[in-house]
């Protein structure tokens, strides 16, 4: 069984649209994360979240918002998509912030 | 500040040892990690070392930490073609609550 899963795997959409990426973990972890990997493979944290605290990287535009319906899910909602949002987005989870396990990634292409 | 540096490329012959180096700047790092990313795939946690350790060995992998110089290395013994991937060094700060800070990754190229 997949530990951290993301859907969709690929997402192609036009500028200005609103889209969501879903993430689910079945590891019983208490903390989840979203990372962005750009075309040069550089990875950067966007959000970390547990049921007590949401930490937002200050460089993330407020068009991006994490939504957690429950402890096992952390979805990423993006408003008014821009060309520069094209990237691979990775979800991860951990127990008490140690040993983060990553999902397979969602490749977002904005045209 | 947070900054993790790695060389972008490393080329080794199959069967040789690979040594991937990383430097970091934040002395408050608690854990340091090595992740592997194969083409088109996600990140696989290879190993990690706690900041009060000098060395950790796990089968073909050896991690060395020089905390004074803020230098971390990953040695892969008997490098195989399946080891071809991008290797990311990462540090966790504030216990990781702010997520991991990654280096830009080292592309390991295996020559036959």
């Amino acid at each position: 069984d997949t530990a951290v899963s993301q859907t969709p795997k690929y997402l192609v959409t036009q500028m200005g649209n609103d889209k969501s990426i879903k993430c689910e973990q079945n590891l019983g972890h208490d903390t989840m994360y979203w990372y962005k990997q750009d075309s040069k493979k550089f990875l950067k944290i966007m959000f970390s979240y547990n049921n007590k605290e949401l930490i937002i990287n200050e460089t993330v535009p407020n068009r991006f918002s994490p939504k957690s319906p429950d402890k096992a899910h952390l979805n990423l909602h993006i408003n008014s998509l821009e060309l520069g949002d094209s990237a691979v987005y990775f979800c991860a989870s951990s127990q008490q912030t140690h040993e983060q396990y990553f999902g397979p990634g969602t490749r977002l292409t904005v045209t | 500040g947070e900054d993790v540096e790695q060389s972008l490329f490393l080329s080794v012959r199959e069967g040789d040892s690979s040594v991937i180096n990383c430097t970091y700047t934040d002395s408050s790092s608690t854990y340091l990690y090595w992740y592997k990313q194969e083409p088109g795939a996600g990140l696989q946690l290879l190993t990690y070392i706690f900041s009060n350790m000098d060395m950790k060995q796990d089968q073909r992998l050896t991690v060395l930490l020089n905390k004074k110089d803020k230098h971390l290395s990953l040695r892969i013994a008997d490098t195989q073609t399946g080891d071809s991937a991008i290797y990311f060094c990462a540090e966790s700060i504030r216990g990781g609550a702010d997520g991991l800070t990654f280096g830009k990754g080292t592309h390991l190229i295996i020559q036959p």
Side-chain angles (χ1 to χ4, degrees), chain B residues 23-88:
Chain B
T23 58
Y24 60 98
T25 56
D26 199 304
S27 57
S28 64
S29 294
T30 49
Y31 288 94
L32 294 140
Y33 302 84
W34 285 103
Y35 282 84
K36 176 183 180 182
Q37 185 178 31
E38 297 183 37
L43 284 91
Q44 174 194 353
L45 176 61
L46 282 179
T47 186
Y48 64 89
I49 189 166
F50 189 52
S51 57
N52 68 354
M53 297 169 65
D54 298 324
M55 186 181 86
K56 181 177 181 181
Q57 188 156 2
D58 183 1
Q59 298 182 338
R60 291 192 297 125
L61 305 179
T62 303
V63 179
L64 295 177
L65 175 61
N66 182 328
K67 198 171 181 182
K68 175 177 170 288
D69 295 338
K70 298 189 182 72
H71 182 266
L72 183 74
S73 68
L74 174 70
R75 178 177 178 269
I76 305 172
D78 187 25
T79 308
Q80 303 297 309
T81 54
D83 295 325
S84 180
I86 304 174
Y87 290 80
F88 291 93

Side-chain angles (χ1 to χ4, degrees), chain A residues 17-78:
Chain A
N17 285 348
D18 302 339
K19 290 293 178 185
S20 291
I21 305 171
K22 295 185 177 181
C23 177
E24 177 182 2
Q25 55 95 4
N26 62 7
L27 298 166
H29 286 167
D30 60 6
T31 306
M32 297 182 72
Y33 311 81
W34 278 103
Y35 289 83
K36 178 181 179 181
Q37 186 175 43
D38 64 23
S39 59
K40 295 182 179 178
K41 305 293 186 185
F42 187 45
L43 275 154
K44 196 160 187 179
I45 181 72
M46 299 178 71
F47 306 99
S48 67
Y49 180 78
N50 61 30
N51 59 5
K52 297 176 184 175
E53 189 177 17
L54 170 66
I55 299 174
I56 303 170
N57 185 313
E58 61 187 13
T59 66
V60 175
N62 58 14
R63 298 181 294 104
F64 290 78
S65 56
K67 299 186 190 302
S68 181
D70 55 58
K71 190 178 168 184
H73 296 83
L74 183 67
N75 303 325
L76 182 64
H77 190 75
I78 315 168

